[in-house]
Amino acid sequence: MQRFDCLSRDCPLFGPHLLEASAGTGKTFSIEHIFVRLILESIEVEQILAVTFTRAATRELKMRIRANLEKALALIREEATDCWPYLSPHLGSLDAIRRLTDALGGFDRCQIFTIHGFCYRMLKEFSFEAKVGSLSNPEEGKKIPPSLRQAVSDFLESGMDKELLCPEQLTLLFKQFESVEELAERLLRLERPEPSLSFSEIFAKCKAALHVWNLEESKLLEDFRALEKGYKAEVKGNFEMQVRGLANLAFFPALLKERGSLFDFLDGSNRKVREYKPSSLHYPGFFDWAQIHIAPLVRQKVFPTLQTAWNSVAKKILSQEEYLDPDEILVRMKKAVDHEVFAHCVRQKYAAAIIDEFQDTDALQWEIFQRLFLEKPIRALYLVGDPKQSIYRFRKADIYTYLKARDLIGENHLYHLDTNFRSSQKLISALNALFSRDWLHLPKADRTLPYHPVKAGANVDSLFPDEKGALHFFAATGEPNGLFDTVFLPFAVSEIERLHLKKCAFLVKDRYQVEKALEFLKKRGIAAIARSRTPLSQTPAFQAICELFEALSSPVDKGEIVKRGPFAQQPGLSLEEHGLVPFARQLPNLDPDAMQIFEWLFAWEKREGFSFEGLKRALQHLQHLDPEEGGQRRILQADEEAIQIMTLHISKGLEFDVVFALGLASRTPEGDGELDAEKLRQLYVAMTRAKKRLYVPLALSTKDPDPGTHSPIELFSRYFEGPLRDQLIELSKTESITIEHLPTPFILGPASLQTPPKETLQGIASHPFTPFFLSSFTTLAKPREGESKQIKNDPENLLQALPRGPETGVVIHQIFEKLFSSSQPIWRDPTAMDALVTKELRFSPLLPWEEPIQQMVRQTVALPLQADGKCFTLSEIDTFQAEMEFVFSSPPHFIKGFIDLLFRYCGKIYFIDWKTNWLEDYGPAFLQKAMEEHDYGLQAALYAEAIQRCFQGNFGGAYYLFVRGGAYIRT
């Protein structure tokens, strides 16, 4: 396999390429430059096809390719000597400038699609040659007919008889799916399942095969008891019940329930070292025979059987509906490319094709690309991907299709990217040492994916104030799944608190672990966000809003309709007369999901106007909206500084400074050899997301796992000689690898935010933090001398009910920034201030709180402040400086930041920091606690030093305004 350097002048550009891009090696960077180089080689922008697998990826790829074209054009025009090597021959070239200018001018004609989008465009453009009729555009998303949704519900309720699946198989099925709803959604994908048999067919085949042996239950049990002495006890299961199922078909379902673990136990690989042979058997050779003839039948997967049965039901329904499943586009495209005249038209259109994420291609998709671009080659073909990251088998991604393409293209056209630009040198070296072995086995092909060590290409600082390595393993003794709650999660949180970690991620097994981690972090007061693919339409808020509008549109007394659920109050405004925005302001209990749904409906109403019929269509559209097009649930607490929590699958393609790969130690429901192989690829994905440090858990279990339930790290440990822990200790002698053993359970101390290490504050002037003045909006209007006032929480106070989280803070900060950076003193004009708030909240989820926020802003500028024994308000100040950026050195560090607001009063400079914290009380004790918990005293010291350096020591003090509660504290 050859090294591929897209910047080198000698890099081969034309011909077929299979480009393997390991994690972090700059796959998209290479595609950007391949695109530019093809343009410079006289290929027009519309002659280059780029295919990727999601709409979000196509948008990002278009943006990055366009930006790279603009950069290349600028470098050539400027004749920059430090340009990319392949641009050197083109510097100052009028022809190159013209080609790039034309490409940018016609970039709206670029051919960058999803696979479904590409097939739709070709079938539509060459419909006569393809011999197809009308098609629905898959780019518009799946619009599943209501009749089909009702049908799948009926099918799951009454369509699964005992002939199709026995109760034991249904038990296995619901270990795979978390709910009936999830199972229904999977069936509605109308996937093409692998061949499968119903329960009655499996039973009939086994009965016919076993009939020739004429078995007696007691004798077969005697044979098994004699044989089992020669096998290890590592494989677990109710073997005697399974043996009875072979001799007495009344017990046959026991074999299905345990997926034939009996045959794993009696497998040759499980024999003891000292061979044992019983003196005699009633049925010699039977179990070896059953291993071949019975085991494959009882180990069949359950879901394909159900999908096959459902597809036949769905086909009848869809034949009467105007509906074309997106995957049907692929089927029609495959039929079309078999017509040479159509294939010729497509080949004539393109001179080059780039297929991104090729490891996620399935056999049908590859047949299309192979027929079009390889059987009769075009000038350049790039298949770009990484088989080590093929983890979407549940979406029909087929790693064996990748291998077929690899073998077909041939060794001379295989290339790889060999430099990791994501992670630190220490972490890359540690992972190279760990991964450099034959461990990515592929059962069906009986071969192993090679791991090619990568070099470090980025100068990533990975210094931490401790002795732990870039790759840190933490081990505990106990049941793996139980250790997640009791040890691994608490330990990860302790590391976050100890090191004050930001920009880090928890990678977990499933959504249940996501919820546990999110709740745990919130209890510790640590900002966190759960990344998931949960669509808005599957939230309780969506269901409640649909029920609300359904009730409002029905011909009943509207004053009595909303009596239950989260909107249990009488609406005072008519939707038809006033529209959605005023109506939404009346509704209590709007959670983040509800606010996002209303935000989407506000935009719809603005485009189309309000009607109940239109509203119904809008909600139906939102229900089936692709997550990438706005149907994805958004978390209001989203913040780049928050801890990101996600499953191993969702982490693919992402990167973080620090990663806790907690899910690698969790065992999963039963699977087969192919699932185990994919678990190892999930391990590779999880362990290549970190830039600076990676934490990996080890569960030292005292109980062997059931067959097929191994965790990824348990599977990985098989590829070491001896215990993994011993091998890690050996590797730690030469690599940045450390390991520690944790107690069970791991006990966390009280939640607290500690001050960063003292060396980060070296050279910064210390300003002692002391509360100076506390008060509230309502009492400061007429302050009474000597009286200490504070605001008390009012359950009906809408300002106090503002959503919590950083996103609220961002919106409020933006309002104050716009207010005090205005060229006119609008902070003295209440009407102008109200208008500003209205403008800033137009498309914000805080729109329902417009009036209380307006009141908050007005009262903030009228709030009496004290300095040097004088009382003043912000409305009296003539000029302000909002969002002042500063950078100063404090060897060996640089300090950088932004100050919310600066102003001058009586010859001194003061700063204001806006705080939207929600507190139980805004009295002195609670404000003091908030200042200490969030290290605002440290922040004040940093800001004061910056102001003193900039304004030669004229710093007067700081005001921390807790605007939600109308209180402030002076330092």
Side-chain angles (χ1 to χ4, degrees), residues 776-782 790-791 859 966:
S776 67
F777 284 134
T778 53
T779 59
L780 280 174
K782 295 180 180 179
Q790 61 192 59
I791 191 170
Q859 291 181 323

Side-chain angles (χ1 to χ4, degrees), residues 423-427 459-466 468-470 691-693 736:
S423 306
S424 71
Q425 188 277 330
K426 288 183 178 181
L427 182 53
N459 185 21
V460 177
D461 174 24
S462 60
L463 296 177
F464 291 91
D466 59 18
K468 293 177 181 176
K691 297 164 67 175
K692 298 180 179 181
R693 177 178 283 178
S736 183

Side-chain angles (χ1 to χ4, degrees), residues 99-283:
R99 291 190 183 285
L100 292 174
T101 302
D102 288 349
L104 287 166
F107 196 74
D108 59 338
R109 302 193 302 274
C110 71
Q111 304 288 294
I112 303 175
F113 306 114
T114 64
I115 174 64
H116 294 91
F118 162 66
C119 294
Y120 171 76
R121 296 293 182 94
M122 295 304 98
L123 291 172
K124 185 177 180 182
E125 186 170 342
F126 305 113
S127 59
F128 179 78
E129 293 81 359
K131 300 180 181 179
V132 297
S134 60
L135 299 170
S136 57
N137 187 353
E139 294 291 289
E140 296 175 355
K142 283 188 176 184
K143 296 182 177 61
I144 298 173
S147 59
L148 198 64
R149 288 193 172 275
Q150 182 59 49
V152 76
S153 179
D154 295 340
F155 174 76
L156 291 175
E157 185 175 337
S158 58
M160 296 188 295
D161 57 32
K162 293 181 180 180
E163 295 292 308
L164 182 66
L165 297 174
C166 68
E168 288 76 8
Q169 288 176 302
L170 288 175
T171 300
L172 292 176
L173 185 69
F174 282 100
K175 285 184 179 180
Q176 180 181 353
F177 294 93
E178 297 170 354
S179 65
V180 175
E181 291 74 21
E182 182 182 341
L183 177 58
E185 289 300 320
R186 179 71 181 275
L187 289 173
L188 286 170
R189 295 179 191 173
L190 299 177
E191 298 168 351
R192 299 184 303 278
E194 57 192 69
S196 61
L197 299 174
S198 67
F199 169 71
S200 60
E201 291 169 330
I202 293 173
F203 184 83
K205 285 180 175 289
C206 288
K207 182 178 181 180
L210 290 166
H211 179 72
V212 299
W213 283 87
N214 195 25
L215 300 169
E216 291 184 24
E217 183 180 326
S218 59
K219 292 180 178 180
L220 190 62
L221 280 170
E222 287 179 18
D223 282 1
F224 171 74
R225 289 165 184 157
L227 287 167
E228 70 175 331
K229 298 174 184 177
Y231 293 86
K232 303 172 190 174
E234 294 178 359
V235 178
K236 306 297 181 183
N238 189 341
F239 303 135
E240 292 203 357
M241 181 60 73
Q242 293 177 66
V243 172
R244 295 178 70 187
L246 291 168
N248 183 348
L249 292 178
F251 300 103
F252 179 75
L255 282 159
L256 299 174
K257 182 179 180 180
E258 300 206 23
R259 291 187 57 80
S261 60
L262 168 69
F263 302 111
D264 295 310
F265 176 73
L266 295 175
D267 188 76
S269 62
N270 194 45
R271 284 196 181 99
K272 292 179 179 177
V273 176
R274 179 178 294 180
E275 189 172 357
Y276 171 82
K277 289 185 178 179
S279 57
S280 63
L281 296 171
H282 298 289
Y283 306 104

Side-chain angles (χ1 to χ4, degrees), residues 185-429:
E185 289 300 320
R186 179 71 181 275
L187 289 173
L188 286 170
R189 295 179 191 173
L190 299 177
E191 298 168 351
R192 299 184 303 278
E194 57 192 69
S196 61
L197 299 174
S198 67
F199 169 71
S200 60
E201 291 169 330
I202 293 173
F203 184 83
K205 285 180 175 289
C206 288
K207 182 178 181 180
L210 290 166
H211 179 72
V212 299
W213 283 87
N214 195 25
L215 300 169
E216 291 184 24
E217 183 180 326
S218 59
K219 292 180 178 180
L220 190 62
L221 280 170
E222 287 179 18
D223 282 1
F224 171 74
R225 289 165 184 157
L227 287 167
E228 70 175 331
K229 298 174 184 177
Y231 293 86
K232 303 172 190 174
E234 294 178 359
V235 178
K236 306 297 181 183
N238 189 341
F239 303 135
E240 292 203 357
M241 181 60 73
Q242 293 177 66
V243 172
R244 295 178 70 187
L246 291 168
N248 183 348
L249 292 178
F251 300 103
F252 179 75
L255 282 159
L256 299 174
K257 182 179 180 180
E258 300 206 23
R259 291 187 57 80
S261 60
L262 168 69
F263 302 111
D264 295 310
F265 176 73
L266 295 175
D267 188 76
S269 62
N270 194 45
R271 284 196 181 99
K272 292 179 179 177
V273 176
R274 179 178 294 180
E275 189 172 357
Y276 171 82
K277 289 185 178 179
S279 57
S280 63
L281 296 171
H282 298 289
Y283 306 104
F286 169 77
F287 288 107
D288 291 334
W289 172 88
Q291 185 82 255
I292 298 170
H293 295 90
I294 303 299
L297 292 169
V298 299
R299 286 172 171 165
Q300 278 197 85
K301 296 178 184 176
V302 180
F303 179 74
T305 302
L306 190 65
Q307 183 77 70
T308 300
W310 161 246
N311 284 359
S312 64
V313 174
K315 186 175 181 180
K316 296 176 183 177
I317 297 170
L318 294 178
S319 64
Q320 303 174 12
E321 296 274 358
E322 294 182 3
Y323 173 83
L324 182 64
D325 185 84
D327 283 349
E328 183 65 22
I329 292 284
L330 302 180
V331 175
R332 295 197 184 187
M333 184 70 173
K334 175 58 179 68
K335 291 179 180 177
V337 298
D338 288 337
H339 301 301
E340 179 54 34
V341 63
F342 173 80
H344 176 75
C345 289
V346 177
R347 290 191 202 102
Q348 288 293 105
K349 184 177 179 67
Y350 297 113
I354 304 168
I355 314 301
D356 191 16
E357 300 290 0
F358 186 66
Q359 77 278 352
D360 294 330
T361 304
D362 64 24
L364 178 60
Q365 294 165 358
W366 170 233
E367 286 180 26
I368 293 169
F369 293 133
Q370 179 185 349
R371 179 84 169 86
L372 287 174
F373 304 131
L374 201 62
E375 288 185 5
K376 294 186 177 179
I378 56 176
R379 290 185 65 188
L381 172 64
Y382 288 83
L383 308 178
V384 186
D386 182 7
K388 300 186 296 299
Q389 298 187 67
S390 179
I391 61 172
Y392 292 131
R393 195 162 65 115
F394 66 93
R395 292 184 185 173
K396 296 183 292 186
D398 181 13
I399 185 67
Y400 297 102
T401 293
Y402 182 99
L403 295 180
K404 288 178 184 177
R406 191 181 192 277
D407 294 341
L408 185 62
I409 284 180
E411 188 68 31
N412 292 336
H413 301 290
L414 303 183
Y415 300 85
H416 73 109
L417 302 177
D418 67 348
T419 304
N420 182 299
F421 297 96
R422 170 182 295 161
S423 306
S424 71
Q425 188 277 330
K426 288 183 178 181
L427 182 53
I428 290 171
S429 179

Side-chain angles (χ1 to χ4, degrees), residues 605-891:
E605 183 184 40
K606 185 175 181 180
R607 290 192 311 269
E608 302 183 18
F610 181 83
S611 70
F612 275 114
E613 188 60 36
L615 179 62
K616 183 178 180 180
R617 289 195 303 269
L619 287 169
Q620 288 175 343
H621 179 64
L622 180 57
Q623 183 175 7
H624 306 304
L625 190 64
D626 191 285
E628 296 167 13
E629 299 299 323
Q632 184 69 47
R633 186 184 185 191
R634 183 184 69 222
I635 307 297
L636 277 182
Q637 204 180 10
D639 180 69
E640 66 175 11
E641 297 294 315
I643 309 303
Q644 309 280 305
I645 309 171
M646 68 201 73
T647 63
L648 300 176
H649 280 98
I650 292 177
S651 72
K652 184 176 177 291
L654 303 177
E655 59 183 45
F656 309 91
D657 285 353
V658 179
V659 168
F660 294 87
L662 304 180
L664 293 182
S666 297
R667 291 173 178 171
T668 56
E670 288 187 23
D672 53 17
E674 291 298 334
L675 182 58
D676 284 349
E678 186 169 87
K679 288 178 189 176
L680 287 171
R681 299 195 294 273
Q682 290 174 15
L683 179 140
Y684 173 80
V685 168
M687 293 181 70
T688 51
R689 301 304 99 198
K691 297 164 67 175
K692 298 180 179 181
R693 177 178 283 178
L694 170 66
Y695 289 85
V696 179
L698 294 176
L700 308 178
S701 177
T702 56
K703 179 183 177 182
D704 293 323
D706 293 331
T709 65
H710 296 81
S711 70
I713 199 68
E714 285 175 328
L715 292 170
F716 184 58
S717 67
R718 292 177 173 180
Y719 296 91
F720 291 82
E721 295 181 3
L724 175 59
R725 194 170 186 273
D726 295 345
Q727 298 299 310
L728 293 175
I729 293 172
E730 187 65 27
L731 284 174
S732 69
K733 297 175 182 178
T734 56
E735 303 292 341
S736 183
I737 296 175
T738 51
I739 183 171
E740 68 176 306
H741 195 94
L742 304 175
T744 305
F746 186 90
I747 305 299
L748 273 172
S752 64
L753 294 175
Q754 303 172 15
T755 304
K758 290 184 179 179
E759 57 266 28
T760 63
L761 307 179
Q762 182 180 348
I764 300 175
S766 175
H767 292 267
F769 159 69
T770 54
F772 177 76
F773 186 79
L774 299 168
S775 194
S776 67
F777 284 134
T778 53
T779 59
L780 280 174
K782 295 180 180 179
R784 298 179 184 178
E785 188 173 345
E787 185 177 4
S788 176
K789 298 290 183 179
Q790 61 192 59
I791 191 170
K792 294 294 183 181
N793 286 335
D794 179 0
E796 300 301 319
N797 186 334
L798 281 178
L799 193 57
Q800 284 293 90
L802 274 174
R804 307 184 196 183
E807 187 163 324
T808 293
V810 168
V811 175
I812 300 301
H813 276 68
Q814 183 173 303
I815 290 171
F816 282 120
E817 179 188 349
K818 293 287 180 67
L819 174 65
F820 291 109
S821 60
S822 172
S823 58
Q824 300 296 323
I826 63 173
W827 53 87
R828 295 174 180 165
D829 183 348
T831 302
M833 287 191 286
D834 287 353
L836 173 66
V837 171
T838 299
K839 180 180 179 182
E840 293 301 316
L841 295 183
R842 273 183 308 172
F843 304 110
S844 162
L846 299 183
L847 185 59
W849 288 270
E850 179 181 339
E851 290 182 9
I853 291 175
Q854 287 174 333
Q855 180 186 8
M856 177 193 73
V857 172
R858 291 194 303 270
Q859 291 181 323
T860 297
V861 299
L863 180 64
L865 307 175
Q866 289 196 2
D868 293 336
K870 299 180 181 179
C871 187
F872 67 98
T873 67
L874 294 179
S875 62
E876 299 172 20
I877 307 299
D878 293 326
T879 58
F880 296 90
Q881 182 173 352
E883 290 295 308
M884 187 194 94
E885 182 177 12
F886 67 83
V887 179
F888 65 86
S889 64
S890 177

